[in-house]
Amino acid sequence: MWSPLSHVSLNHHKNRFSPVSGMMRHRQLLLATTCLWALSCASLLSSSTPDGAGLLRVSLNKNRLDREALTAAKVARKQDSRLLGAANGGDEIPLVDYLNTQYFGVVGIGTPPQNFTVIFDTGSSNLWVPSSKCYFSIACYIHHRYKSAKSSTYKADGETCKISYGSGSIVGFFSKDNVLVGDLVVKGQKFIETRREPSVSFILGKFDGILGLGYPEISVGKAPPIWQSMQEQKLLADNVFSFWLNRNPDAPSGGELVFGGVDPERFKGEHTYVPVSRKGYWQFNMGDLLIDGHSTGFCAKGCAAIADSGTSLLAGPTAIVAQVNHAIGAEGILSTECKEVVSQYGEMILNLLIAQTDPQKVCSQIGLCMFDGSHSVSEGIESVVGKENLGSDVMCSACQMAVVWIENQLRENKTKELILQYANQLCERLPSPNGESTVSCNQISKMPNLAFTIANKTFTLTPEQYIVKLEQGGQTVCISGFMAFDIPPPRGPLWILGDVFMGAYHTVFDFGKDRIGFAKSA
C-alpha cells in the first residue's frame, strides 16, 4: 500500500527502574564512551489511519529520567568498562547517548506482524530485534522475540554478525522479512535476529531493539537502512524523514517521526538546511557556540556536528562545556591537573599567546603536548573527565583547554589576573567523570541563553530548554544539558546535537538531497 507520508508517533516515558539502567551505546571519547538507553515501554501502540492531509501517525513514547536512573547509569558503566574500545572499528566516530529522554515506538516484523518496541536512532543504521533462537541470554527471554516460523513472508539469509557497543555487544544473524512502519509495509527488509545479548544493560533495558536511521556507510553487513528500502520500493512521496520531539513532560504523546515529508503543524517558519559533510552519521559543519551572544572561541573557526536522535543531551568539547557550566553555575568535579596547569603554566601560556604564538603550538612549546604540526600525535588523548590515570595526556588536554579559555579572554581585553582567575574557575566547572553537572533549579530563570551557529544562523536554546529536570522521591534535581565529548583533529572538534536540541528544533533528514534542516518546533 502506498502512502505519501508515514507518521510514526513517538512515545516518551520517564525512567523509573533500578538498580542498573539500560546502557546501550558507549559512543564517546574516541572509540569508547557510555551510551545510556534508559528506555521503558509501558504498552505497544497501534498505528492510526491517515488523516485528511494524508499523514500516517504512530505514537512515539518518551522515557522520563529520575535520580535512580542517573545512579544506575554509573553502575552499568562500571560493569561494562571492560568492553570499552570494542565498538565501531575503522574511521567512524562513536557517538554518545546519555540519560534524560529517549524516544521510541513500535514496528511490526513478519506476516502477520510481530510487534517490537524499537529506538529510532539516527546514530546507527541496522534494524535488530531478539530472535526466538536466542537461548542463552536472559535479555532475550524478557523481551519480545521474533519467530520466523510464524511469518509467511520470512526469507532466510543466515549471514552471521556482531555489533559491539560500549556497554555490551549483540551477536546474531541476518534474516529478511516484511517490516510494518506505521501503515507502510517495507518488503524483504534485511535485519538482524540476535542470538546473544550478554550485557546486563540489555536485561534491564525496556526496549526490544534498535531501528537505525543513519547512512548505509555505517551499516553492519551492508544491510540497507529502512529509509533506503522505502526509497527503493517507492513508498515515499519525498525522500525525507522528520522528527518532532515533544519536550512537555506532562504530554501523553512523545512526538512524531514522519516518513516521506513533514507535518507543517509541527514547526514554525522555514527550515534552515545544511549539507551533510560526511555520510555515515548525519554529520554537518557548524560554527561557534555563543553564551549570551559571546563567542566561546573553540569552534569559532568551525566544528563538525552530528544530529543524533539516539542521544539525549548535548555533547561537545570539554573546553566549551566547562565555559557553559561556569556561565550557568553548574557544579562539576575539581580537576587537580587542570588547576595545576593554570597555576604553573597559565602565565606562560598567556605570554605566548600575546606574542602571537600559534595556539596549537603553545602546549608543545611548554612541554605538555607532543604535536606533529597540526594536532596531537597521541590519537588516544581523551577528555580529562572521561578516564582515570591518563597521566601526561591529562596534562596535555588540560593545557589545550587552558589555551582556548585564555585566548578567548584575551579577545575580551581582560587583565592577566582576571584571565587566570577565570581559567582557574573553569577548572572547577569541568564536568564530572559521570557526565552530569548539577545546577540550582531556582536559578534557571537567571541563566543565559545559549546559541549554536548553523549555516550562518543562530539557533538559540533557553535555560528551560537546555536544563534537564530529574525526579527523586518527589523532589526535582536539575542538571546541565551539556556533557563533555572530545574528538581531536582532523575528525574533531565535534558536537552531538541530541534530543535537547532536536526537541527545540524540528529536524528534517533529507536523504534525497543529503542535507539536514532545522526549524523551531511548534
Side-chain angles (χ1 to χ4, degrees):
M1 170 178 160
W2 181 87
S3 175
L5 294 178
S6 177
H7 282 224
V8 180
S9 300
L10 303 172
N11 293 323
H12 182 194
H13 289 279
K14 298 282 186 173
N15 302 338
R16 300 191 182 279
F17 59 89
S18 61
V20 182
S21 73
M23 301 282 292
M24 178 53 203
R25 295 183 300 152
H26 282 256
R27 293 194 201 160
Q28 184 188 7
L29 304 176
L30 301 181
L31 294 177
T33 296
T34 306
C35 298
L36 173 65
W37 295 95
L39 305 166
S40 170
C41 60
S43 62
L44 300 181
L45 300 183
S46 60
S47 61
S48 65
T49 57
D51 60 18
L55 303 181
L56 188 64
R57 308 172 187 271
V58 181
S59 287
L60 283 176
N61 285 322
K62 56 184 178 180
N63 225 335
R64 175 171 292 179
L65 175 70
D66 57 24
R67 197 64 180 177
E68 290 182 356
L70 181 65
T71 303
K74 304 172 187 177
V75 176
R77 185 176 304 159
K78 291 178 181 178
Q79 289 185 348
D80 292 314
S81 61
R82 67 187 183 277
L83 294 168
L84 294 179
N88 296 333
D91 189 40
E92 294 301 332
I93 297 175
L95 301 186
V96 182
D97 195 358
Y98 189 78
L99 300 179
N100 188 28
T101 310
Q102 287 296 336
Y103 295 81
F104 56 95
V106 176
V107 299
I109 302 179
T111 307
Q114 301 171 38
N115 283 342
F116 296 92
T117 299
V118 296
I119 308 304
F120 292 97
D121 177 27
T122 59
S124 66
S125 298
N126 288 92
L127 168 61
W128 65 261
V129 295
S131 173
S132 61
K133 298 178 176 63
C134 179
Y135 303 117
F136 302 107
S137 294
I138 297 175
C140 292
Y141 285 96
I142 60 177
H143 292 101
H144 298 94
R145 294 190 292 169
Y146 171 75
K147 301 175 178 64
S148 59
K150 293 189 176 182
S151 174
S152 62
T153 49
Y154 162 76
K155 293 182 180 179
D157 182 290
E159 178 187 355
T160 59
C161 62
K162 177 180 180 180
I163 301 180
S164 295
Y165 301 95
S167 61
S169 60
I170 61 166
V171 178
F173 58 94
F174 283 101
S175 294
K176 294 180 180 179
D177 208 334
N178 293 353
V179 177
L180 179 66
V181 183
D183 281 352
L184 294 182
V185 177
V186 182
K187 296 181 179 179
Q189 175 66 33
K190 186 176 181 179
F191 69 101
I192 299 170
E193 294 188 53
T194 62
R195 290 191 300 184
R196 290 186 59 206
E197 297 179 18
S199 173
V200 66
S201 304
F202 298 118
I203 296 175
L204 295 171
K206 303 303 181 182
F207 59 96
D208 299 316
I210 303 293
L211 192 151
L213 293 170
Y215 276 92
E217 281 79 356
I218 59 171
S219 177
V220 174
K222 298 182 179 180
I226 198 82
W227 58 258
Q228 185 179 25
S229 298
M230 291 177 176
Q231 180 185 37
E232 293 172 351
Q233 296 177 28
K234 302 185 185 305
L235 299 176
L236 305 175
D238 196 3
N239 292 324
V240 304
F241 60 87
S242 55
F243 276 92
W244 172 69
L245 303 183
N246 191 346
R247 301 297 283 179
N248 181 356
D250 299 320
S253 171
E256 289 180 348
L257 166 61
V258 179
F259 287 96
V262 299
D263 185 343
E265 295 183 359
R266 300 307 188 189
F267 62 90
K268 302 174 184 177
E270 300 293 330
H271 286 84
T272 296
Y273 285 92
V274 59
V276 172
S277 60
R278 183 165 187 159
K279 293 182 180 180
Y281 306 110
W282 286 87
Q283 183 172 328
F284 58 95
N285 295 323
M286 62 161 272
D288 210 354
L289 182 135
L290 308 176
I291 300 177
D292 249 355
H294 296 281
S295 169
T296 51
F298 197 67
C299 290
K301 296 182 180 179
C303 282
I306 293 169
D308 183 26
S309 63
T311 296
S312 294
L313 302 186
L314 294 160
T318 305
I320 298 182
V321 173
Q323 293 182 66
V324 169
N325 284 346
H326 177 264
I328 67 177
E331 297 180 358
I333 297 296
L334 174 66
S335 171
T336 303
E337 294 85 355
C338 183
K339 293 179 73 71
E340 182 179 348
V341 166
V342 172
S343 63
Q344 292 189 16
Y345 302 98
E347 190 168 346
M348 189 181 303
I349 292 172
L350 179 61
N351 291 334
L352 286 171
L353 290 173
I354 292 175
Q356 301 299 308
T357 303
D358 183 347
Q360 290 188 324
K361 305 293 185 182
V362 168
C363 294
S364 62
Q365 288 195 21
I366 62 179
L368 293 181
C369 291
M370 296 179 61
F371 282 79
D372 65 2
S374 61
H375 60 278
S376 176
V377 171
S378 172
E379 293 293 334
I381 291 179
E382 303 186 24
S383 164
V384 297
V385 300
K387 184 177 178 182
E388 297 177 357
N389 302 319
L390 283 177
S392 60
D393 280 352
V394 171
M395 299 292 283
C396 177
S397 296
C399 178
Q400 291 170 331
M401 287 189 291
V403 168
V404 173
W405 301 334
I406 292 173
E407 183 185 21
N408 197 48
Q409 289 297 290
L410 277 173
R411 297 192 188 99
E412 301 286 336
N413 295 318
K414 299 293 180 63
T415 65
K416 178 181 72 174
E417 290 74 17
L418 288 177
I419 290 174
L420 296 180
Q421 181 182 9
Y422 176 75
N424 198 59
Q425 291 172 342
L426 288 184
C427 286
E428 297 178 355
R429 298 299 187 183
L430 288 174
S432 74
N434 293 309
E436 78 280 0
S437 298
T438 62
V439 298
S440 171
C441 296
N442 295 328
Q443 297 299 312
I444 291 179
S445 62
K446 300 178 181 179
M447 294 177 186
N449 288 340
L450 306 175
F452 288 89
T453 306
I454 302 173
N456 296 319
K457 295 185 179 181
T458 56
F459 291 80
T460 301
L461 294 178
T462 65
E464 291 77 13
Q465 291 171 323
Y466 66 74
I467 295 300
V468 178
K469 295 182 178 181
L470 298 77
E471 295 182 359
Q472 180 183 21
Q475 296 183 340
T476 300
V477 177
C478 295
I479 65 170
S480 168
F482 289 77
M483 65 179 297
F485 176 60
D486 291 303
I487 291 289
R491 293 303 305 274
L494 180 76
W495 276 95
I496 309 299
L497 304 186
D499 296 338
V500 167
F501 186 84
M502 290 177 60
Y505 291 95
H506 181 271
T507 307
V508 177
F509 296 84
D510 188 339
F511 52 88
K513 297 180 180 178
D514 293 322
R515 61 179 186 170
I516 307 170
F518 302 103
K520 283 188 177 181
S521 290

